Amino acid sequence: MKQYKDKWGRYVVSLYKNSHKKARFVHRLVAQAFIPNPNNKPEVNHKRPITNILCDNRVDNLEWCTSKENSQWTIKCGNLYNPSFGKYGKDNIKSKPIV
């Protein structure tokens, strides 16, 4: 399967069933296949930061977590996928001057 990166640097694959296409995150597929989830947590967290160069989807870098745990870890470790995340106005990299 060919992987591609989304705008935040996460790898995605397209899966097909009965001619219906569904995009799935590789890290989530790895976690579902190889990491037990006894507490039935809904999200998968990367323990090491995702960068534009590398997205480490190995089993030892993934863990199941809640949405709150994932958000808290992201803020604590500075693992923000989008460099403009939380920035508004002229500080956002997508902002354009108004003439």
Side-chain angles (χ1 to χ4, degrees):
M1 282 185 209
K2 185 171 183 175
Q3 303 179 82
Y4 60 93
K5 284 188 178 185
D6 69 0
K7 64 182 178 179
W8 293 285
R10 298 173 297 187
Y11 284 106
V12 180
V13 292
S14 295
L15 302 176
Y16 294 86
K17 182 177 181 181
N18 299 328
S19 301
H20 294 286
K21 176 181 170 181
K22 290 200 176 200
R24 295 290 183 245
F25 292 116
V26 172
H27 67 278
R28 186 156 183 91
L29 295 173
V30 171
Q32 288 173 328
F34 300 107
I35 302 173
N37 189 6
N39 297 327
N40 203 25
K41 293 185 176 184
E43 295 187 13
V44 179
N45 182 38
H46 287 87
K47 296 176 186 177
R48 289 182 290 282
I50 295 175
T51 65
N52 289 334
I53 301 167
L54 175 68
C55 182
D56 187 356
N57 289 322
R58 292 179 292 181
V59 173
D60 64 338
N61 186 43
L62 301 174
E63 64 184 354
W64 288 101
C65 63
T66 63
S67 181
K68 183 176 181 178
E69 291 168 341
N70 204 356
S71 296
Q72 288 174 340
W73 186 92
T74 299
I75 292 167
K76 177 183 173 187
C77 295
N79 188 20
L80 299 177
Y81 308 129
N82 188 342
S84 63
F85 182 74
K87 297 180 182 176
Y88 299 95
K90 66 180 175 57
D91 295 329
N92 188 299
I93 61 171
K94 294 184 178 182
S95 69
K96 297 177 184 176
I98 299 173
V99 180

